Amino acid sequence: MTVKSILLFVTISFSLIVSSCKEDMTPVQSNTLYQSNFQQNQDGWTADIADYSTQQQDIRFESGWAGLPSPLDTTRKSIRVSSMNRSDDLFMFLKKKLTGLQPNTDYRLVFDIELASAYATNSIGVGGSPGGSVYLKAGATATEPAKVLDDDFYTINLDKGNQSTGGKDAALLGNIGAGEDVTDYKLITRTNAENPLTVRSNAAGELWLVVGTDSGYEGLTTLYYSNIKVTKK
């Protein structure tokens, strides 16, 4: 066999091996459905509040795109939300439409939320703890979460449970307590990795994501959401 023949044989054999390997390889599928650190903008998230009477005043609800507060890295961006809980049950939330999913399909969702909180877990306040009695929840629905007026009381058109319990449409991720004897803002993370939430997309392959706090503390709560990630199990 000539040198040229040997080289041709080696080349063909190598090509067959590579082709075989490609056929055996399984493409890696990303389980991340959504993630943002809000460095560019609010990425389509809008804020609102529910679970309060039309008669209640001085709620001081605010929201917007902002840098993290000092002593954190103020060059990092976030979505800032703030409100005074006058109803002892205020739900302060963010929502966003997620597209590009499989139509009419069940998804088991895990939410990983990073936010800045300045509230001690063991703190004492009116109605409850500013840290330990403000509960973080995350979920999704096939229809847009909306505030609904019923007999002079604003509720929300999803089952989020009440305060320390989750509901059909939203899982409890914990509270916003940032540790013992906290006085400055700290970054905390919360997840429902141990309890994924099952939701079904609509016929257009859409889900509405919702993240919020169900408060039992009758005072002012100001939080900064710095990262939201949603994965499928």
Side-chain angles (χ1 to χ4, degrees):
M1 183 178 291
T2 66
V3 172
K4 185 175 181 180
S5 299
I6 292 173
L7 290 174
L8 180 60
F9 175 79
V10 170
T11 300
I12 293 173
S13 299
F14 180 76
S15 297
L16 290 172
I17 292 171
V18 170
S19 177
S20 176
C21 289
K22 285 183 178 179
E23 289 176 359
D24 291 341
M25 288 174 61
T26 301
V28 176
Q29 299 293 329
S30 172
N31 289 329
T32 301
L33 297 178
Y34 173 82
Q35 185 170 15
S36 180
N37 61 8
F38 309 112
Q39 281 300 107
Q40 301 302 317
N41 49 48
Q42 290 192 190
D43 199 33
W45 291 85
T46 59
D48 209 339
I49 52 175
D51 290 351
Y52 67 99
S53 167
T54 57
Q55 306 304 314
Q56 285 161 340
Q57 305 295 321
D58 194 34
I59 293 178
R60 307 185 205 174
F61 172 60
E62 299 176 349
S63 69
W65 187 51
L68 288 175
S70 178
L72 299 174
D73 181 359
T74 57
T75 65
R76 286 191 59 190
K77 298 300 184 180
S78 66
I79 300 178
R80 178 185 181 273
V81 290
S82 183
S83 62
M84 180 73 76
N85 179 17
R86 295 301 187 188
S87 66
D88 192 30
D89 194 30
L90 193 72
F91 186 57
M92 180 168 57
F93 64 95
L94 303 173
K95 65 179 181 180
K96 174 186 170 64
K97 184 164 70 171
L98 184 64
T99 61
L101 304 175
Q102 293 297 316
N104 302 315
T105 301
D106 287 338
Y107 286 85
R108 296 178 70 229
L109 301 183
V110 171
F111 294 82
D112 291 286
I113 312 295
E114 180 188 71
L115 67 156
S117 167
Y119 307 101
T121 307
N122 62 345
S123 53
I124 298 174
V126 179
S129 166
S133 298
V134 180
Y135 302 97
L136 182 66
K137 297 179 178 181
T141 58
T143 56
E144 182 176 0
K147 186 163 58 177
V148 179
L149 182 61
D150 184 15
D151 291 333
D152 295 326
F153 193 84
Y154 287 107
T155 61
I156 189 169
N157 63 341
L158 56 82
D159 180 5
K160 62 177 178 57
N162 187 47
Q163 296 195 4
S164 62
T165 61
K168 178 178 68 70
D169 301 318
L172 175 69
L173 277 62
N175 58 46
I176 64 165
E180 305 302 312
D181 304 318
V182 171
T183 56
D184 290 323
Y185 275 96
K186 292 178 58 178
L187 287 175
I188 62 174
T189 58
R190 298 290 184 265
T191 183
N192 67 317
E194 298 300 319
N195 184 32
L197 181 72
T198 300
V199 298
R200 190 170 183 82
S201 61
N202 63 22
E206 302 168 341
L207 280 173
W208 280 87
L209 305 177
V210 60
V211 175
T213 47
D214 212 350
S215 181
Y217 163 58
E218 297 179 50
L220 184 67
T221 297
T222 303
L223 300 170
Y224 298 77
Y225 290 94
S226 50
N227 198 297
I228 297 176
K229 180 180 180 181
V230 185
T231 55
K232 60 180 179 179
K233 290 281 283 187

